[in-house]
Amino acid sequence: MLVDSIAFTLYRAMSGAVPDLVLKRIGIASSRRRPEFYTLERIVNEMPAVPGAVLECGVYRGATLLGMTHILNRRGIRARVMGFDSFEGFPEPVAKDAQDDGTLHPDVRAGALSDSWYDRLRRQITGLGWDDRIALAKGFFENTLHTISNERFS
């Protein structure tokens, strides 16, 4: 889409502050639009060093993954960022998924959050020029996390 292409070009051309409208168009989380991102944004902004990779388990549409990478990029930190997700929603719930009273939250069901965007997220990563920085692992954690057993994490 032409608008996305323009937004990616603007983002790559800007050094320093990027207007929130551009971040929104690209799908990068910011606490201005997403208050729930505030704490994570603050942590990534204030980390004195990032001696290992950054891992997000449960990527969904990638806004926080891109948001963390954006902050690291702005700080001049080229840490590897990894996102793990099934990209097909939750698996069938098991007993340990129940709340304290034994019931399941209405959103805890097979396929919940299946409206994720693996292909679109790959295009966003490429458009931002971050193919060398962000790695995605598609699949359920029990089938994918073992692939990073030797990785060091921040």
Side-chain angles (χ1 to χ4, degrees), residues 8-9 36 42 64 66 138 153:
F8 290 132
T9 301
E36 72 277 8
R42 199 174 111 231
T64 57
L66 297 177
K138 187 176 182 180
F153 294 97

Side-chain angles (χ1 to χ4, degrees), residues 43-153:
I43 290 168
V44 176
N45 262 320
E46 295 177 3
M47 292 173 66
V50 184
V54 174
L55 174 65
E56 182 175 36
C57 291
V59 173
Y60 187 48
R61 295 183 173 178
T64 57
L65 186 79
L66 297 177
M68 289 187 294
T69 307
H70 165 69
I71 294 165
L72 293 169
N73 190 51
R74 194 180 64 221
R75 292 183 61 200
I77 298 171
R78 299 211 34 95
R80 182 173 160 88
V81 180
M82 306 168 94
F84 281 66
D85 199 298
S86 71
F87 292 100
E88 58 186 68
F90 289 152
E92 193 64 46
V94 295
K96 67 182 176 182
D97 295 323
Q99 300 176 91
D100 290 340
D101 67 2
T103 64
L104 291 173
H105 186 280
D107 292 336
V108 177
R109 57 182 165 67
L113 301 177
S114 63
D115 58 337
S116 60
W117 295 342
Y118 178 80
D119 293 330
R120 180 175 178 190
L121 181 54
R122 287 272 6 124
R123 286 191 303 274
Q124 288 168 291
I125 292 167
T126 298
L128 289 162
W130 292 343
D131 286 310
D132 63 331
R133 301 197 44 210
I134 297 178
L136 296 178
K138 187 176 182 180
F140 290 107
F141 301 144
E142 64 268 18
N143 300 324
T144 56
L145 285 177
H146 74 277
T147 65
I148 56 169
S149 60
N150 294 327
E151 189 77 43
R152 179 179 179 181
F153 294 97

